């Protein structure tokens, strides 16, 4: 990680917002958290300076401007390799938390389908709902992959777990179609 971390540039955002109404601070905070920015202290955020973060940073700056606040964007590289490594470690730890949450969501998805199979709930409506849940997992995986610029250790297992979720959903789809197409099989 050291070589990649040393050459990576960071973007620092220093955001100042009026204390009231608090909804403006919350909106900016949510946008920066959503994009994966690291909070370094009161109103100070950092992200790797790569295209994956541009949209979220721009939205946070627009929200700040609309709220009558001020923001300063600064390029940063750190004073030495230890600073770059520390930033990469903090950023990777935040991504590990994201991947851990993603893996938990995959577990919930798998449990939900297992429940539908146990209770023989083989309806097209339920299948559509599960396919929508799978699509949300796919989008989340794409978003996390885009911002995991240092390659958190759980990214590999998360990809494997998503592939397993796809297999589980495909198996459920087969069961639904088998149930609907056997004699007397109709939507329940």
């Amino acid at each position: 990680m050291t070589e990649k971390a040393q050459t990576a540039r960071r973007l620092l955002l220093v955001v100042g917002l009026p204390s009231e109404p608090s909804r403006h601070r919350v909106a900016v905070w949510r946008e920066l958290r959503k994009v994966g920015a690291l909070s370094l202290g009161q109103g100070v955020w950092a992200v790797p300076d790569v295209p994956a973060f541009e949209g979220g940073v721009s939205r946070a700056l627009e929200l700040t401007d609309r709220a009558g606040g001020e923001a300063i964007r600064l390029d940063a590289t750190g004073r030495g390799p230890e600073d770059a490594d520390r930033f990469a470690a903090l950023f990777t730890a935040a991504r590990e938390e994201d991947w851990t949450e993603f893996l938990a969501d995959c577990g919930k998805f798998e449990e939900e389908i297992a429940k539908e199979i146990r209770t023989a709930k083989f309806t097209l409506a339920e299948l559509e709902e599960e396919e929508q849940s799978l699509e949300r997992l796919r989008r989340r995986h794409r978003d996390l992959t885009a911002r995991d610029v240092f390659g958190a250790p759980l990214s590999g297992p998360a990809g494997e777990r998503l592939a397993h979720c796809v297999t589980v959903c495909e198996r459920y789809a087969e069961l639904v179609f088998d149930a609907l197409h056997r004699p007397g099989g109709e939507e329940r």
Side-chain angles (χ1 to χ4, degrees):
M1 180 177 355
T2 302
E3 185 178 328
K4 193 174 191 178
Q6 286 176 357
T7 59
R9 292 173 41 109
R10 269 80 59 203
L11 174 64
L12 292 181
L13 299 171
V14 181
V15 179
L17 290 159
S19 59
E20 293 296 329
S22 64
R23 72 178 185 276
H24 297 300
R25 285 192 324 278
V26 171
V28 171
W29 176 83
R30 280 186 179 148
E31 189 60 45
L32 290 169
R33 292 291 302 153
K34 183 174 141 185
V35 77
L38 286 179
S39 175
L40 300 179
Q42 186 84 16
V44 180
W45 298 83
V47 294
D49 193 5
V50 296
F53 299 95
E54 288 175 11
V57 168
S58 292
R59 286 187 297 276
L61 293 173
E62 288 171 18
L63 289 168
T64 300
D65 190 46
R66 277 192 254 146
E70 292 187 18
I72 300 170
R73 292 188 295 184
L74 303 168
D75 290 327
T77 56
R79 304 269 305 187
E82 62 281 350
D83 291 330
D85 287 343
R86 180 72 179 133
F87 176 78
L90 289 169
F91 197 81
T92 299
R95 297 301 67 85
E96 281 289 283
E97 290 176 16
D98 292 341
W99 286 123
T100 298
E101 184 179 320
F102 175 83
L103 288 166
D105 289 344
C106 287
K108 292 174 191 171
F109 176 81
E110 294 162 349
E111 289 170 14
E112 176 65 20
I113 289 184
K115 181 188 84 160
E116 303 307 350
I117 292 170
R118 270 194 317 277
T119 61
K121 188 172 183 183
F122 301 126
T123 66
L124 289 176
E126 189 59 39
L127 175 58
E128 185 175 311
E129 185 178 313
E130 299 307 338
E131 287 173 336
Q132 289 172 359
S133 294
L134 179 60
E135 188 53 37
R136 280 191 297 276
L137 285 173
R138 285 178 169 146
R139 279 193 309 271
R140 178 91 170 115
H141 186 269
R142 279 191 302 269
D143 291 347
L144 288 174
T145 298
R147 66 180 180 223
D148 186 9
V149 296
F150 299 112
L154 285 178
S155 64
E160 294 166 8
R161 189 71 178 269
L162 178 60
H164 184 258
C165 288
V166 169
T167 301
V168 165
C169 192
E170 288 171 351
R171 179 173 173 262
Y172 180 63
E174 290 172 9
L175 292 170
V176 169
F177 287 113
D178 286 348
L180 294 176
H181 290 100
R182 70 175 163 241
E186 55 188 55
E187 184 91 22
R188 294 179 216 156

